[in-house]
Amino acid sequence: MTATAFEVVAEPTRRRILDLLLERPRLVGELTDQLGLSQPGTSKHLRVLREAGLVSVRQDAQRRWYELRPEPLVELDDWLMPYRRLWADRLDALERHLDQMPDLPEDSQ
């Protein structure tokens, strides 16, 4: 049974891998260096990400390039949508409140 995107991105190291792959495709060795993990540790995280469909791998001779697959992140984005609206509404209310406050005198700023 493969993990859902939610379960996979709950782990901080895997989120860091996704952040790095957002910049550009990377080799396992690059990710290992950036993360400060062992190569087997990095490979385990990459396997979980690959099985969840969040990354793809491309073989180039002896090298394996990993890159982000954004499509599965749509599930996360859809789930977060109402929460974004919640925060947007609250920030709009704060802005309205601040706009109604009297301006400070020039010499007190």
Side-chain angles (χ1 to χ4, degrees), residues 3-39:
T4 67
F6 291 101
E7 293 169 316
V8 171
V9 301
E11 207 288 320
T13 301
R14 290 194 284 267
R15 286 195 310 269
R16 179 71 179 125
I17 291 171
L18 294 175
D19 290 343
L20 291 167
L21 295 177
L22 182 60
E23 297 169 3
R24 63 181 169 79
R26 296 182 187 259
L27 297 167
V28 177
E30 287 181 78
L31 292 168
T32 297
D33 292 343
Q34 290 284 323
L35 298 167
L37 296 176
S38 66
Q39 190 278 326

Side-chain angles (χ1 to χ4, degrees), residues 40-104:
T42 302
S43 292
K44 285 180 184 179
H45 286 294
L46 287 167
R47 186 187 79 241
V48 172
L49 290 166
R50 191 179 67 247
E51 288 174 355
L54 291 164
V55 301
S56 62
V57 63
R58 176 176 40 93
Q59 190 83 29
D60 179 24
Q62 297 296 324
R63 303 183 309 177
R64 297 174 64 111
W65 289 91
Y66 284 85
E67 58 188 308
L68 184 63
R69 290 190 63 245
E71 300 86 2
L73 296 172
V74 171
E75 177 186 0
L76 295 172
D77 188 51
D78 289 346
W79 184 80
L80 287 169
M81 184 81 59
Y83 296 94
R84 267 193 227 95
R85 283 196 301 267
L86 172 74
W87 282 109
D89 291 346
R90 289 184 180 191
L91 290 173
D92 290 344
L94 175 61
E95 183 178 22
R96 286 190 300 277
H97 174 74
L98 293 174
D99 287 345
Q100 294 171 358
M101 292 180 65
D103 291 336
L104 294 172

